[in-house]
Amino acid sequence: MTQEQDLARRITRQLDQGLAEIRPGIAYRLRLAREAALERSEGEGEFALQWAWAGGHAPRGLVRFLSPQYLLPVALLLLGLLGVGYWQTTSPSTEVIEIDTALLTDELPLNAYLDSGFEAWLKRSQPQ
Amino acid sequence: MAQAFAAAVILAVACVAGVVTDAGAAAPITRQVRPTWAELTPQQRQVLAPLAPEWDQLDVTRRKKWVAIAERYPKMSAEEQERLQRRMRDWARLSTDERRAARERYKSLASLSPQEREAVKASWAEYRRSLEAEKPADEAAEAPVSP
């Protein structure tokens, strides 16, 4: 038997002896305190999904969707999407930038690319 | 409080949506479109100088495109730089359809081999000569009868 086990046995013996000799009034108060403690601990341990306003008064119907808890993330998401959309719709594509740069600096003049007659001329002169 | 917040959100979203909707509009641009000419760097203004008179009429997408082209300017040869500045105003004055058609033709010619491209250049010179040769007859035919 280890030293710890021996100590535990002696403590429990003392407690049992004390319990046998305890006065009824004290035993009753101890029981009440234990029940109250158990009751409190049961309420704290539970977990459940709740609305953000849980504990306060919950708005009903569509009104609750007008509260900042809903509108703030929705507004941020919308603004973000609109920002991305604006950036994409107003940004020229890399292809356009590259082609325009090449066209404007090419050895052939702009008219060579604008003249549909030249295009037809090229097609006619190509060997069949 | 919630209603006021909702109104503020709706107003903000409407403003941003309005900017997006108007971005590609061809109507005269009354809203401040950026970058403005004054907001360009001195180097960008120097490169894009031929566009200065038209800058206020360009929509935001085309302004961004010209700024991107101006950023490539320092890497171009002197000859390319000269061509770019000489052509940019004519290019900017073309209609959207004309620019689109020119880009399509460029793409089809860009896919050719270097030898074929040289042949195209020779063809252009030949085509120009043929036009010059036809011109006097055409002009004579179309010329108004003098009193």
Side-chain angles (χ1 to χ4, degrees), chain A residues 66 71 75 82 86-87 90 95 98-109 112-119 121, chain B residues 2 5-6 9 16 19-20 23 60-61 64-66 69 72 76 83-84 87 91 102-103 105-107 117 121 124 127:
Chain A
L66 292 175
L71 287 179
L82 284 169
Y86 177 73
W87 178 256
T90 62
E95 188 189 24
E98 283 176 1
I99 292 179
D100 282 18
T101 307
L103 265 168
L104 291 163
T105 56
D106 196 50
E107 287 180 47
L108 276 175
Y113 299 104
L114 294 169
D115 193 333
S116 55
F118 178 53
E119 193 178 25
W121 163 282
Chain B
F5 185 80
V9 168
V16 177
V19 171
V20 171
V60 62
T61 309
K64 286 183 180 177
K65 184 198 72 178
W66 284 115
I69 291 175
R72 297 171 178 221
M76 296 174 189
R83 282 189 204 129
L84 175 72
R87 294 174 183 175
W91 183 247
R103 287 183 190 121
R105 289 185 189 118
Y106 179 83
K107 278 200 282 188
R117 277 188 63 77
K121 284 180 211 163
W124 172 250
Y127 175 72

Tab-separated table of all heavy atoms in Angstrom, chain A residues 66 71 75 82 86-87 90 95 98-109 112-119 121, chain B residues 2 5-6 9 16 19-20 23 60-61 64-66 69 72 76 83-84 87 91 102-103 105-107 117 121 124 127:
chain	number	residue	atom	x	y	z
A	66	LEU	N	-33.733	43.725	-40.579
A	66	LEU	CA	-33.278	45.116	-40.712
A	66	LEU	C	-32.343	45.507	-39.573
A	66	LEU	O	-31.966	46.658	-39.443
A	66	LEU	CB	-34.480	46.065	-40.747
A	66	LEU	CG	-35.349	45.962	-41.996
A	66	LEU	CD1	-36.567	46.864	-41.867
A	66	LEU	CD2	-34.559	46.337	-43.228
A	71	LEU	N	-27.687	43.325	-41.419
A	71	LEU	CA	-27.384	44.258	-42.506
A	71	LEU	C	-25.898	44.541	-42.671
A	71	LEU	O	-25.425	44.707	-43.795
A	71	LEU	CB	-28.127	45.575	-42.270
A	71	LEU	CG	-29.625	45.494	-42.530
A	71	LEU	CD1	-30.272	46.832	-42.245
A	71	LEU	CD2	-29.889	45.084	-43.966
A	75	ALA	N	-24.238	44.157	-46.132
A	75	ALA	CA	-23.803	45.376	-46.808
A	75	ALA	C	-22.326	45.292	-47.187
A	75	ALA	O	-21.932	45.669	-48.295
A	75	ALA	CB	-24.024	46.585	-45.895
A	82	LEU	N	-19.623	44.615	-55.386
A	82	LEU	CA	-19.733	45.733	-56.325
A	82	LEU	C	-18.362	46.320	-56.645
A	82	LEU	O	-18.079	46.694	-57.778
A	82	LEU	CB	-20.643	46.819	-55.739
A	82	LEU	CG	-22.143	46.492	-55.787
A	82	LEU	CD1	-22.938	47.477	-54.944
A	82	LEU	CD2	-22.647	46.491	-57.217
A	86	TYR	N	-16.928	46.521	-60.264
A	86	TYR	CA	-16.547	47.809	-60.845
A	86	TYR	C	-15.127	47.734	-61.388
A	86	TYR	O	-14.847	48.178	-62.503
A	86	TYR	CB	-16.654	48.900	-59.776
A	86	TYR	CG	-16.206	50.265	-60.254
A	86	TYR	CD1	-17.003	50.995	-61.129
A	86	TYR	CD2	-14.997	50.811	-59.836
A	86	TYR	CE1	-16.602	52.241	-61.577
A	86	TYR	CE2	-14.593	52.052	-60.278
A	86	TYR	CZ	-15.393	52.763	-61.141
A	86	TYR	OH	-14.982	53.989	-61.582
A	87	TRP	N	-14.243	47.149	-60.607
A	87	TRP	CA	-12.848	47.057	-61.008
A	87	TRP	C	-12.723	46.226	-62.287
A	87	TRP	O	-11.991	46.567	-63.214
A	87	TRP	CB	-12.027	46.430	-59.876
A	87	TRP	CG	-10.588	46.264	-60.239
A	87	TRP	CD1	-9.948	45.104	-60.580
A	87	TRP	CD2	-9.609	47.302	-60.346
A	87	TRP	NE1	-8.634	45.353	-60.878
A	87	TRP	CE2	-8.392	46.695	-60.745
A	87	TRP	CE3	-9.640	48.683	-60.143
A	87	TRP	CZ2	-7.230	47.422	-60.943
A	87	TRP	CZ3	-8.475	49.397	-60.339
A	87	TRP	CH2	-7.299	48.771	-60.725
A	90	THR	N	-14.214	48.024	-65.447
A	90	THR	CA	-13.521	49.216	-65.912
A	90	THR	C	-12.053	48.966	-66.248
A	90	THR	O	-11.384	49.858	-66.745
A	90	THR	CB	-13.592	50.349	-64.861
A	90	THR	OG1	-12.940	49.888	-63.685
A	90	THR	CG2	-15.014	50.742	-64.565
A	95	GLU	N	-5.025	41.638	-72.943
A	95	GLU	CA	-4.942	41.384	-74.380
A	95	GLU	C	-5.141	42.689	-75.171
A	95	GLU	O	-4.384	42.980	-76.107
A	95	GLU	CB	-6.004	40.353	-74.789
A	95	GLU	CG	-5.839	39.917	-76.235
A	95	GLU	CD	-6.997	39.079	-76.733
A	95	GLU	OE1	-8.109	39.184	-76.190
A	95	GLU	OE2	-6.783	38.324	-77.695
A	98	GLU	N	-2.089	44.860	-74.864
A	98	GLU	CA	-0.968	44.357	-75.668
A	98	GLU	C	-1.200	44.583	-77.159
A	98	GLU	O	-0.289	45.010	-77.885
A	98	GLU	CB	-0.760	42.863	-75.388
A	98	GLU	CG	-0.046	42.634	-74.068
A	98	GLU	CD	0.076	41.170	-73.715
A	98	GLU	OE1	-0.383	40.316	-74.500
A	98	GLU	OE2	0.635	40.888	-72.644
A	99	ILE	N	-2.425	44.307	-77.626
A	99	ILE	CA	-2.702	44.474	-79.056
A	99	ILE	C	-2.623	45.950	-79.442
A	99	ILE	O	-2.045	46.305	-80.477
A	99	ILE	CB	-4.076	43.878	-79.418
A	99	ILE	CG1	-4.024	42.354	-79.271
A	99	ILE	CG2	-4.485	44.275	-80.829
A	99	ILE	CD1	-5.310	41.660	-79.578
A	100	ASP	N	-3.204	46.812	-78.612
A	100	ASP	CA	-3.173	48.238	-78.937
A	100	ASP	C	-1.737	48.757	-78.969
A	100	ASP	O	-1.365	49.536	-79.852
A	100	ASP	CB	-4.004	49.039	-77.919
A	100	ASP	CG	-5.497	48.920	-78.207
A	100	ASP	OD1	-5.874	47.982	-78.941
A	100	ASP	OD2	-6.266	49.755	-77.713
A	101	THR	N	-0.941	48.310	-78.004
A	101	THR	CA	0.462	48.738	-77.993
A	101	THR	C	1.163	48.287	-79.268
A	101	THR	O	1.894	49.058	-79.906
A	101	THR	CB	1.194	48.154	-76.756
A	101	THR	OG1	0.458	48.481	-75.597
A	101	THR	CG2	2.599	48.712	-76.641
A	102	ALA	N	0.918	47.024	-79.633
A	102	ALA	CA	1.564	46.484	-80.832
A	102	ALA	C	1.082	47.204	-82.092
A	102	ALA	O	1.899	47.551	-82.965
A	102	ALA	CB	1.271	44.990	-80.933
A	103	LEU	N	-0.226	47.447	-82.171
A	103	LEU	CA	-0.787	48.136	-83.338
A	103	LEU	C	-0.199	49.537	-83.504
A	103	LEU	O	0.113	49.982	-84.612
A	103	LEU	CB	-2.296	48.276	-83.160
A	103	LEU	CG	-3.186	47.203	-83.786
A	103	LEU	CD1	-4.604	47.350	-83.271
A	103	LEU	CD2	-3.179	47.347	-85.297
A	104	LEU	N	-0.073	50.207	-82.376
A	104	LEU	CA	0.369	51.602	-82.428
A	104	LEU	C	1.870	51.733	-82.672
A	104	LEU	O	2.353	52.820	-82.985
A	104	LEU	CB	-0.009	52.311	-81.116
A	104	LEU	CG	-1.512	52.515	-80.928
A	104	LEU	CD1	-1.853	52.821	-79.486
A	104	LEU	CD2	-2.001	53.636	-81.834
A	105	THR	N	2.598	50.647	-82.499
A	105	THR	CA	4.047	50.725	-82.693
A	105	THR	C	4.511	49.859	-83.867
A	105	THR	O	5.706	49.789	-84.143
A	105	THR	CB	4.791	50.259	-81.413
A	105	THR	OG1	4.344	48.944	-81.085
A	105	THR	CG2	4.503	51.174	-80.251
A	106	ASP	N	3.560	49.209	-84.534
A	106	ASP	CA	3.909	48.260	-85.602
A	106	ASP	C	4.502	48.982	-86.808
A	106	ASP	O	4.261	50.170	-87.038
A	106	ASP	CB	2.654	47.502	-86.014
A	106	ASP	CG	3.001	46.259	-86.814
A	106	ASP	OD1	3.840	45.491	-86.360
A	106	ASP	OD2	2.428	46.089	-87.914
A	107	GLU	N	5.283	48.208	-87.591
A	107	GLU	CA	5.859	48.782	-88.814
A	107	GLU	C	4.773	49.093	-89.842
A	107	GLU	O	4.885	50.061	-90.597
A	107	GLU	CB	6.883	47.810	-89.407
A	107	GLU	CG	8.173	47.746	-88.606
A	107	GLU	CD	9.159	46.767	-89.224
A	107	GLU	OE1	9.380	46.807	-90.445
A	107	GLU	OE2	9.690	45.946	-88.460
A	108	LEU	N	3.747	48.257	-89.847
A	108	LEU	CA	2.629	48.556	-90.749
A	108	LEU	C	1.817	49.705	-90.165
A	108	LEU	O	1.570	49.726	-88.956
A	108	LEU	CB	1.728	47.332	-90.898
A	108	LEU	CG	2.139	46.280	-91.932
A	108	LEU	CD1	1.199	45.081	-91.851
A	108	LEU	CD2	2.108	46.865	-93.350
A	109	PRO	N	1.373	50.626	-90.989
A	109	PRO	CA	0.599	51.744	-90.452
A	109	PRO	C	-0.804	51.297	-90.026
A	109	PRO	O	-1.260	50.218	-90.420
A	109	PRO	CB	0.525	52.718	-91.630
A	109	PRO	CG	0.726	51.873	-92.831
A	109	PRO	CD	1.602	50.728	-92.422
A	112	ALA	N	-3.338	49.977	-92.567
A	112	ALA	CA	-3.257	48.601	-93.059
A	112	ALA	C	-4.230	47.696	-92.304
A	112	ALA	O	-4.695	46.688	-92.832
A	112	ALA	CB	-1.837	48.080	-92.898
A	113	TYR	N	-4.521	48.076	-91.044
A	113	TYR	CA	-5.447	47.271	-90.241
A	113	TYR	C	-6.867	47.800	-90.309
A	113	TYR	O	-7.796	47.134	-89.865
A	113	TYR	CB	-4.970	47.243	-88.785
A	113	TYR	CG	-3.603	46.615	-88.631
A	113	TYR	CD1	-2.487	47.410	-88.409
A	113	TYR	CD2	-3.428	45.250	-88.753
A	113	TYR	CE1	-1.226	46.851	-88.292
A	113	TYR	CE2	-2.172	44.681	-88.642
A	113	TYR	CZ	-1.079	45.479	-88.410
A	113	TYR	OH	0.172	44.910	-88.316
A	114	LEU	N	-7.012	49.006	-90.811
A	114	LEU	CA	-8.348	49.608	-90.870
A	114	LEU	C	-8.983	49.423	-92.248
A	114	LEU	O	-10.197	49.497	-92.394
A	114	LEU	CB	-8.261	51.108	-90.563
A	114	LEU	CG	-7.842	51.462	-89.141
A	114	LEU	CD1	-7.521	52.954	-89.044
A	114	LEU	CD2	-8.926	51.091	-88.150
A	115	ASP	N	-8.152	49.198	-93.251
A	115	ASP	CA	-8.632	49.158	-94.631
A	115	ASP	C	-9.129	47.755	-94.980
A	115	ASP	O	-8.339	46.818	-95.133
A	115	ASP	CB	-7.462	49.558	-95.550
A	115	ASP	CG	-7.936	49.859	-96.969
A	115	ASP	OD1	-8.977	49.297	-97.365
A	115	ASP	OD2	-7.256	50.640	-97.650
A	116	SER	N	-10.440	47.618	-95.087
A	116	SER	CA	-10.990	46.300	-95.418
A	116	SER	C	-10.616	45.911	-96.855
A	116	SER	O	-10.570	44.733	-97.196
A	116	SER	CB	-12.503	46.296	-95.242
A	116	SER	OG	-13.073	47.334	-96.007
A	117	GLY	N	-10.324	46.925	-97.693
A	117	GLY	CA	-9.898	46.647	-99.059
A	117	GLY	C	-8.575	45.908	-99.085
A	117	GLY	O	-8.361	45.005	-99.902
A	118	PHE	N	-7.671	46.285	-98.161
A	118	PHE	CA	-6.378	45.613	-98.100
A	118	PHE	C	-6.544	44.159	-97.671
A	118	PHE	O	-5.865	43.261	-98.164
A	118	PHE	CB	-5.448	46.368	-97.140
A	118	PHE	CG	-4.101	45.719	-96.980
A	118	PHE	CD1	-3.320	45.417	-98.101
A	118	PHE	CD2	-3.594	45.407	-95.725
A	118	PHE	CE1	-2.066	44.816	-97.953
A	118	PHE	CE2	-2.352	44.806	-95.586
A	118	PHE	CZ	-1.589	44.506	-96.703
A	119	GLU	N	-7.466	43.946	-96.761
A	119	GLU	CA	-7.728	42.580	-96.303
A	119	GLU	C	-8.190	41.719	-97.489
A	119	GLU	O	-7.727	40.590	-97.683
A	119	GLU	CB	-8.799	42.594	-95.216
A	119	GLU	CG	-8.917	41.287	-94.466
A	119	GLU	CD	-9.967	41.357	-93.359
A	119	GLU	OE1	-10.899	42.192	-93.462
A	119	GLU	OE2	-9.872	40.567	-92.416
A	121	TRP	N	-7.613	42.367	-100.627
A	121	TRP	CA	-6.466	42.287	-101.546
A	121	TRP	C	-5.540	41.135	-101.131
A	121	TRP	O	-5.083	40.352	-101.950
A	121	TRP	CB	-5.736	43.634	-101.530
A	121	TRP	CG	-4.346	43.667	-102.081
A	121	TRP	CD1	-3.204	43.239	-101.468
A	121	TRP	CD2	-3.924	44.181	-103.345
A	121	TRP	NE1	-2.104	43.460	-102.253
A	121	TRP	CE2	-2.528	44.041	-103.422
A	121	TRP	CE3	-4.617	44.776	-104.415
A	121	TRP	CZ2	-1.789	44.450	-104.510
A	121	TRP	CZ3	-3.880	45.183	-105.508
A	121	TRP	CH2	-2.484	45.013	-105.561
B	2	ALA	N	-32.321	50.872	-36.525
B	2	ALA	CA	-32.175	49.870	-37.584
B	2	ALA	C	-32.620	50.419	-38.925
B	2	ALA	O	-31.976	50.191	-39.959
B	2	ALA	CB	-32.980	48.625	-37.232
B	5	PHE	N	-30.069	52.800	-40.322
B	5	PHE	CA	-28.916	52.034	-40.814
B	5	PHE	C	-29.239	51.401	-42.165
B	5	PHE	O	-28.432	51.439	-43.101
B	5	PHE	CB	-28.552	50.962	-39.788
B	5	PHE	CG	-27.302	50.203	-40.137
B	5	PHE	CD1	-26.052	50.743	-39.889
B	5	PHE	CD2	-27.383	48.951	-40.726
B	5	PHE	CE1	-24.904	50.054	-40.219
B	5	PHE	CE2	-26.245	48.257	-41.058
B	5	PHE	CZ	-25.013	48.810	-40.791
B	6	ALA	N	-30.453	50.842	-42.260
B	6	ALA	CA	-30.858	50.216	-43.519
B	6	ALA	C	-30.869	51.242	-44.639
B	6	ALA	O	-30.405	50.982	-45.756
B	6	ALA	CB	-32.247	49.595	-43.354
B	9	VAL	N	-27.356	51.972	-45.776
B	9	VAL	CA	-26.797	50.874	-46.580
B	9	VAL	C	-27.359	50.919	-47.987
B	9	VAL	O	-26.623	50.807	-48.979
B	9	VAL	CB	-27.104	49.515	-45.908
B	9	VAL	CG1	-26.805	48.371	-46.867
B	9	VAL	CG2	-26.297	49.368	-44.635
B	16	VAL	N	-22.819	53.079	-55.425
B	16	VAL	CA	-21.808	52.251	-56.070
B	16	VAL	C	-22.388	51.633	-57.336
B	16	VAL	O	-21.738	51.582	-58.382
B	16	VAL	CB	-21.301	51.160	-55.099
B	16	VAL	CG1	-20.294	50.267	-55.805
B	16	VAL	CG2	-20.675	51.796	-53.887
B	19	VAL	N	-22.337	54.050	-60.196
B	19	VAL	CA	-21.005	54.216	-60.789
B	19	VAL	C	-20.729	53.081	-61.750
B	19	VAL	O	-20.251	53.272	-62.854
B	19	VAL	CB	-19.928	54.265	-59.668
B	19	VAL	CG1	-18.544	54.202	-60.282
B	19	VAL	CG2	-20.075	55.533	-58.854
B	20	VAL	N	-21.069	51.840	-61.348
B	20	VAL	CA	-20.814	50.674	-62.191
B	20	VAL	C	-21.623	50.774	-63.471
B	20	VAL	O	-21.135	50.523	-64.576
B	20	VAL	CB	-21.159	49.373	-61.422
B	20	VAL	CG1	-21.101	48.186	-62.371
B	20	VAL	CG2	-20.195	49.169	-60.274
B	23	ALA	N	-20.244	53.261	-65.948
B	23	ALA	CA	-18.828	53.163	-66.314
B	23	ALA	C	-18.615	53.059	-67.814
B	23	ALA	O	-17.720	53.668	-68.368
B	23	ALA	CB	-18.199	51.958	-65.611
B	60	VAL	N	-13.418	55.605	-68.302
B	60	VAL	CA	-12.413	55.156	-67.330
B	60	VAL	C	-11.597	53.974	-67.859
B	60	VAL	O	-10.379	53.898	-67.632
B	60	VAL	CB	-13.093	54.819	-65.971
B	60	VAL	CG1	-14.091	53.679	-66.104
B	60	VAL	CG2	-12.062	54.479	-64.926
B	61	THR	N	-12.239	53.076	-68.622
B	61	THR	CA	-11.515	51.899	-69.126
B	61	THR	C	-10.426	52.320	-70.101
B	61	THR	O	-9.289	51.821	-70.053
B	61	THR	CB	-12.494	50.943	-69.836
B	61	THR	OG1	-13.589	50.703	-68.967
B	61	THR	CG2	-11.826	49.631	-70.182
B	64	LYS	N	-7.512	53.949	-68.340
B	64	LYS	CA	-6.621	52.961	-67.712
B	64	LYS	C	-5.750	52.291	-68.775
B	64	LYS	O	-4.589	51.977	-68.529
B	64	LYS	CB	-7.451	51.906	-66.976
B	64	LYS	CG	-8.074	52.387	-65.682
B	64	LYS	CD	-8.815	51.243	-65.010
B	64	LYS	CE	-9.460	51.689	-63.717
B	64	LYS	NZ	-10.239	50.603	-63.102
B	65	LYS	N	-6.342	52.049	-69.954
B	65	LYS	CA	-5.572	51.401	-71.020
B	65	LYS	C	-4.422	52.300	-71.460
B	65	LYS	O	-3.281	51.842	-71.599
B	65	LYS	CB	-6.501	51.099	-72.204
B	65	LYS	CG	-5.810	50.348	-73.324
B	65	LYS	CD	-6.574	50.455	-74.614
B	65	LYS	CE	-6.445	51.846	-75.192
B	65	LYS	NZ	-7.143	51.996	-76.476
B	66	TRP	N	-4.702	53.590	-71.659
B	66	TRP	CA	-3.645	54.506	-72.097
B	66	TRP	C	-2.554	54.657	-71.043
B	66	TRP	O	-1.377	54.778	-71.366
B	66	TRP	CB	-4.238	55.874	-72.473
B	66	TRP	CG	-4.925	55.857	-73.812
B	66	TRP	CD1	-6.249	56.043	-74.057
B	66	TRP	CD2	-4.316	55.633	-75.092
B	66	TRP	NE1	-6.521	55.934	-75.402
B	66	TRP	CE2	-5.343	55.682	-76.062
B	66	TRP	CE3	-3.018	55.379	-75.510
B	66	TRP	CZ2	-5.110	55.501	-77.415
B	66	TRP	CZ3	-2.773	55.191	-76.860
B	66	TRP	CH2	-3.811	55.255	-77.796
B	69	ILE	N	-0.411	51.694	-71.398
B	69	ILE	CA	0.462	51.811	-72.575
B	69	ILE	C	1.611	52.784	-72.273
B	69	ILE	O	2.766	52.548	-72.635
B	69	ILE	CB	-0.348	52.259	-73.805
B	69	ILE	CG1	-1.292	51.117	-74.233
B	69	ILE	CG2	0.574	52.641	-74.965
B	69	ILE	CD1	-2.242	51.470	-75.360
B	72	ARG	N	4.503	51.323	-70.624
B	72	ARG	CA	5.396	50.495	-71.465
B	72	ARG	C	6.308	51.356	-72.341
B	72	ARG	O	7.237	50.843	-72.960
B	72	ARG	CB	4.545	49.596	-72.376
B	72	ARG	CG	3.710	48.611	-71.577
B	72	ARG	CD	2.718	47.896	-72.458
B	72	ARG	NE	1.980	46.926	-71.655
B	72	ARG	CZ	1.662	45.712	-72.034
B	72	ARG	NH1	1.994	45.310	-73.239
B	72	ARG	NH2	1.015	44.894	-71.252
B	76	MET	N	10.194	50.945	-75.055
B	76	MET	CA	10.099	50.887	-76.522
B	76	MET	C	11.341	51.510	-77.161
B	76	MET	O	12.018	52.351	-76.558
B	76	MET	CB	8.866	51.660	-77.000
B	76	MET	CG	7.552	51.078	-76.523
B	76	MET	SD	6.187	52.150	-77.003
B	76	MET	CE	4.853	51.396	-76.092
B	83	ARG	N	6.291	56.318	-83.404
B	83	ARG	CA	5.075	55.814	-84.051
B	83	ARG	C	3.878	55.897	-83.098
B	83	ARG	O	2.794	56.316	-83.480
B	83	ARG	CB	5.268	54.348	-84.454
B	83	ARG	CG	6.087	54.154	-85.699
B	83	ARG	CD	6.021	52.680	-86.121
B	83	ARG	NE	7.170	52.320	-86.906
B	83	ARG	CZ	7.959	51.256	-86.686
B	83	ARG	NH1	7.680	50.438	-85.689
B	83	ARG	NH2	8.994	51.011	-87.449
B	84	LEU	N	4.120	55.481	-81.867
B	84	LEU	CA	3.036	55.489	-80.873
B	84	LEU	C	2.448	56.885	-80.721
B	84	LEU	O	1.230	57.080	-80.794
B	84	LEU	CB	3.568	54.992	-79.524
B	84	LEU	CG	2.583	55.060	-78.353
B	84	LEU	CD1	1.509	53.993	-78.500
B	84	LEU	CD2	3.287	54.891	-77.017
B	87	ARG	N	0.474	58.054	-83.751
B	87	ARG	CA	-0.775	57.366	-84.078
B	87	ARG	C	-1.844	57.450	-83.000
B	87	ARG	O	-3.012	57.171	-83.276
B	87	ARG	CB	-0.481	55.873	-84.324
B	87	ARG	CG	0.380	55.617	-85.540
B	87	ARG	CD	0.750	54.149	-85.616
B	87	ARG	NE	1.633	53.878	-86.742
B	87	ARG	CZ	2.172	52.687	-86.979
B	87	ARG	NH1	1.917	51.667	-86.180
B	87	ARG	NH2	2.962	52.518	-88.023
B	91	TRP	N	-5.941	56.857	-83.395
B	91	TRP	CA	-6.499	55.625	-82.824
B	91	TRP	C	-7.630	55.946	-81.846
B	91	TRP	O	-8.678	55.306	-81.847
B	91	TRP	CB	-5.378	54.844	-82.125
B	91	TRP	CG	-5.789	53.526	-81.548
B	91	TRP	CD1	-5.850	53.192	-80.235
B	91	TRP	CD2	-6.184	52.349	-82.269
B	91	TRP	NE1	-6.249	51.895	-80.084
B	91	TRP	CE2	-6.468	51.346	-81.315
B	91	TRP	CE3	-6.343	52.045	-83.621
B	91	TRP	CZ2	-6.887	50.068	-81.663
B	91	TRP	CZ3	-6.756	50.764	-83.965
B	91	TRP	CH2	-7.026	49.793	-82.996
B	102	ALA	N	-9.857	46.402	-86.326
B	102	ALA	CA	-8.406	46.506	-86.514
B	102	ALA	C	-7.680	45.500	-85.629
B	102	ALA	O	-6.704	44.884	-86.055
B	102	ALA	CB	-7.942	47.926	-86.198
B	103	ARG	N	-8.185	45.339	-84.403
B	103	ARG	CA	-7.534	44.373	-83.489
B	103	ARG	C	-7.672	42.950	-84.040
B	103	ARG	O	-6.729	42.162	-83.938
B	103	ARG	CB	-8.178	44.439	-82.099
B	103	ARG	CG	-7.803	45.683	-81.322
B	103	ARG	CD	-8.392	45.670	-79.917
B	103	ARG	NE	-8.228	46.967	-79.288
B	103	ARG	CZ	-9.233	47.719	-78.850
B	103	ARG	NH1	-10.490	47.300	-78.976
B	103	ARG	NH2	-8.995	48.894	-78.304
B	105	ARG	N	-7.920	42.074	-87.185
B	105	ARG	CA	-6.985	41.922	-88.316
B	105	ARG	C	-5.550	41.775	-87.805
B	105	ARG	O	-4.779	40.996	-88.342
B	105	ARG	CB	-7.097	43.133	-89.252
B	105	ARG	CG	-8.398	43.138	-90.029
B	105	ARG	CD	-8.451	44.266	-91.044
B	105	ARG	NE	-9.794	44.344	-91.602
B	105	ARG	CZ	-10.607	45.394	-91.488
B	105	ARG	NH1	-10.200	46.476	-90.877
B	105	ARG	NH2	-11.815	45.364	-92.008
B	106	TYR	N	-5.227	42.564	-86.769
B	106	TYR	CA	-3.870	42.456	-86.228
B	106	TYR	C	-3.626	41.048	-85.701
B	106	TYR	O	-2.560	40.459	-85.940
B	106	TYR	CB	-3.637	43.479	-85.099
B	106	TYR	CG	-2.249	43.344	-84.515
B	106	TYR	CD1	-1.160	43.959	-85.120
B	106	TYR	CD2	-2.019	42.546	-83.396
B	106	TYR	CE1	0.122	43.795	-84.633
B	106	TYR	CE2	-0.740	42.373	-82.901
B	106	TYR	CZ	0.326	42.998	-83.521
B	106	TYR	OH	1.599	42.829	-83.045
B	107	LYS	N	-4.605	40.506	-84.985
B	107	LYS	CA	-4.418	39.166	-84.403
B	107	LYS	C	-4.199	38.121	-85.491
B	107	LYS	O	-3.378	37.221	-85.338
B	107	LYS	CB	-5.642	38.785	-83.553
B	107	LYS	CG	-5.597	39.368	-82.159
B	107	LYS	CD	-6.488	38.638	-81.195
B	107	LYS	CE	-7.928	39.018	-81.365
B	107	LYS	NZ	-8.797	38.458	-80.323
B	117	ARG	N	4.906	37.737	-92.618
B	117	ARG	CA	4.655	39.138	-92.243
B	117	ARG	C	5.427	40.091	-93.166
B	117	ARG	O	4.921	41.167	-93.497
B	117	ARG	CB	5.049	39.383	-90.777
B	117	ARG	CG	3.948	38.972	-89.803
B	117	ARG	CD	4.275	39.389	-88.371
B	117	ARG	NE	4.369	40.846	-88.200
B	117	ARG	CZ	3.312	41.655	-88.119
B	117	ARG	NH1	2.089	41.170	-88.192
B	117	ARG	NH2	3.476	42.938	-87.949
B	121	LYS	N	3.883	43.103	-95.526
B	121	LYS	CA	4.380	44.487	-95.643
B	121	LYS	C	4.607	44.845	-97.109
B	121	LYS	O	4.259	45.950	-97.551
B	121	LYS	CB	5.703	44.634	-94.871
B	121	LYS	CG	5.514	44.717	-93.363
B	121	LYS	CD	6.870	44.853	-92.690
B	121	LYS	CE	6.851	44.207	-91.334
B	121	LYS	NZ	8.185	43.962	-90.801
B	124	TRP	N	1.329	45.459	-98.684
B	124	TRP	CA	0.761	46.763	-98.332
B	124	TRP	C	1.318	47.851	-99.258
B	124	TRP	O	0.583	48.698	-99.774
B	124	TRP	CB	1.039	47.097	-96.870
B	124	TRP	CG	0.667	48.494	-96.478
B	124	TRP	CD1	1.523	49.504	-96.164
B	124	TRP	CD2	-0.654	49.043	-96.389
B	124	TRP	NE1	0.835	50.649	-95.883
B	124	TRP	CE2	-0.511	50.394	-96.022
B	124	TRP	CE3	-1.930	48.532	-96.599
B	124	TRP	CZ2	-1.605	51.243	-95.847
B	124	TRP	CZ3	-3.025	49.369	-96.424
B	124	TRP	CH2	-2.860	50.708	-96.046
B	127	TYR	N	-0.198	47.389	-102.586
B	127	TYR	CA	-1.605	47.817	-102.530
B	127	TYR	C	-1.716	49.344	-102.579
B	127	TYR	O	-2.535	49.898	-103.314
B	127	TYR	CB	-2.228	47.269	-101.242
B	127	TYR	CG	-3.643	47.727	-100.970
B	127	TYR	CD1	-4.712	47.252	-101.717
B	127	TYR	CD2	-3.912	48.632	-99.931
B	127	TYR	CE1	-6.011	47.664	-101.456
B	127	TYR	CE2	-5.199	49.051	-99.659
B	127	TYR	CZ	-6.248	48.560	-100.421
B	127	TYR	OH	-7.533	48.977	-100.171
